[in-house]
Amino acid sequence: MRAFDRLIRFCKDWTLPVAIVVGTVVYMAFYHIPQLDRLGTQLMPAVDVLFPLSVFMTLLVTFCKIDFRQMRPHRWHAGVLVAQLLLVAACVWVVVAAGDTPEQKLLWEAVLTCIIGPSASAAPVVAGKLGGNISTMTTYTLLSALASAVLIPLVFPMLEHTAHAEFLPAFLIILQKVSLVLLLPLALGWTVQHTLPRLQRRIVSVPDLSFYCWAFSLSITSGVTVRNIVHSAASPSLLVQIGAVSLMLCFVQFAIGRAIGRRLGEEINAGQALFQKNTALSIWVAYIYLHPVASVGAGCYVLWQNIINSLELWYHDKCQRRQKLGAMT
């Protein structure tokens, strides 16, 4: 019984890495066991429904908790958006300069997908667990989605002549995808708060419900990421480079965001805002408008960012437990 309790405790402490491992193991099992191949094909339509549904539920639960009166622009929003714009400009310059070396160009296009994407829809969930402000974080997520919807159709045609990303159609497609995932649960969360208070109290009363919904969607994302890497046409050396650079980029964006937030009084939110990306959207736009190999960058990034998120949450919980013990003595 003690071993079982320890296992449960471990899964709670390291929920995100456990979700990554589960998604990876499940995909590899279906990939290597011929008997499961047909079942995997049959389950794909269900997976295609479950993933957006789990993200939707993650955000709906989160938005049932936020104070909509606090959803207004802050100085740190502008600081993080400017930092993202400068990083995108620097990366575009490197991609153009690497035009004569195809592998290096693909490497930096993969890096660009990890920078140009909007802040993750679930960033308010993690920021809230770290003690950040969910309301102001949600505001930034909306602003970031709009900024990326403008940047992507402007930037991608400069890099790939095959990227027929006319501004208005691409802008509307990206905005539509973001709206379905972000704005609809936001509107429903406001509706529940103001018209269904009993339901709102029940949702809020379940501890970490939004976090575990996100962990479920992460397990699906991990399986899809591993599938993309396994079926990638890129050379192993390029895949290793993309994985290593995406890891370094996690720390770079995290450090820049934290530095901006430290100066403007929102260290937790700003760090998560610049660092935690909507990789599902980044993978999609890279696959459609750049090159399938470039989408591997965002796929690797989602694994790294959630491992780092887990370390953040572990350290935050550890500090809280120390504070409680100190208060009791």
Side-chain angles (χ1 to χ4, degrees):
M1 193 64 182
R2 289 182 180 178
F4 180 75
D5 291 339
R6 285 198 294 269
L7 177 62
I8 296 297
R9 181 66 189 175
F10 176 83
C11 291
K12 286 183 177 180
D13 288 342
W14 301 99
T15 302
L16 300 183
V18 168
I20 291 172
V21 170
V22 168
T24 301
V25 169
V26 169
Y27 170 74
M28 296 306 290
F30 278 89
Y31 180 73
H32 288 290
I33 301 174
Q35 291 83 352
L36 295 177
D37 185 53
R38 179 180 295 180
L39 178 60
T41 303
Q42 293 173 348
L43 289 176
M44 278 306 297
V47 172
D48 291 339
V49 173
L50 283 173
F51 176 72
L53 181 61
S54 62
V55 175
F56 182 90
M57 291 303 300
T58 300
L59 296 177
L60 177 59
V61 173
T62 301
F63 295 153
C64 284
K65 301 177 182 178
I66 68 173
D67 184 354
F68 284 88
R69 292 170 297 182
Q70 293 186 24
M71 288 188 62
R72 58 183 185 276
H74 287 256
R75 289 187 303 162
W76 72 265
H77 294 162
V80 173
L81 285 172
V82 169
Q84 183 186 18
L85 183 60
L86 292 175
L87 286 171
V88 167
C91 194
V92 168
W93 181 82
V94 174
V95 172
V96 173
D100 295 332
T101 53
E103 281 212 349
Q104 288 301 305
K105 183 179 180 183
L106 284 175
L107 172 64
W108 286 101
E109 284 184 353
V111 170
L112 179 63
T113 63
C114 303
I115 298 172
I116 202 169
S119 183
S121 302
V125 178
V126 178
K129 284 184 70 66
L130 292 170
N133 188 311
I134 297 177
S135 300
T136 58
M137 190 68 200
T138 301
T139 304
Y140 177 79
T141 305
L142 294 170
L143 294 173
S144 173
L146 183 61
S148 293
V150 173
L151 278 174
I152 289 169
L154 285 176
V155 168
F156 280 16
M158 300 183 205
L159 310 180
E160 292 284 345
H161 298 298
T162 56
H164 303 297
E166 296 181 13
F167 177 77
L168 186 58
F171 172 79
L172 293 176
I173 290 172
I174 295 167
L175 201 60
Q176 179 191 31
K177 286 183 173 290
V178 172
S179 297
L180 289 173
V181 175
L182 192 60
L183 293 183
L184 184 56
L186 183 67
L188 285 177
W190 184 91
T191 303
V192 169
Q193 278 198 35
H194 290 82
T195 62
L196 301 168
R198 287 187 180 179
L199 176 60
Q200 191 257 353
R201 284 194 295 270
R202 284 190 177 183
I203 292 173
V204 171
S205 67
V206 181
D208 296 328
L209 178 59
S210 58
F211 182 66
Y212 291 120
C213 287
W214 170 241
F216 177 76
S217 62
L218 175 61
S219 65
I220 297 175
T221 304
S222 301
V224 172
T225 298
V226 173
R227 182 191 66 186
N228 290 343
I229 292 172
V230 169
H231 293 283
S232 173
S235 65
S237 62
L238 179 57
L239 292 175
V240 170
Q241 290 180 66
I242 290 174
V245 173
S246 63
L247 175 60
M248 288 188 290
L249 188 61
C250 279
F251 288 107
V252 168
Q253 294 193 107
F254 183 75
I256 292 173
R258 284 265 180 166
I260 292 170
R262 200 175 298 120
R263 293 180 64 88
L264 300 177
E266 286 281 2
E267 186 174 357
I268 294 173
N269 279 352
Q272 293 302 127
L274 188 59
F275 150 70
Q276 196 171 342
K277 296 293 185 180
N278 185 335
T279 50
L281 181 65
S282 297
I283 290 170
W284 177 77
V285 295
Y287 202 91
I288 295 297
Y289 294 121
L290 291 179
H291 192 283
V293 175
S295 67
V296 175
C300 293
Y301 193 94
V302 70
L303 303 180
W304 299 132
Q305 80 175 6
N306 282 288
I307 291 171
I308 293 171
N309 278 335
S310 291
L311 292 171
E312 281 188 282
L313 293 168
W314 170 79
Y315 184 74
H316 177 72
D317 291 344
K318 183 179 178 181
C319 291
Q320 283 194 323
R321 286 196 292 267
R322 283 181 177 176
Q323 289 175 359
K324 288 180 181 178
L325 287 173
M328 292 169 62
T329 55

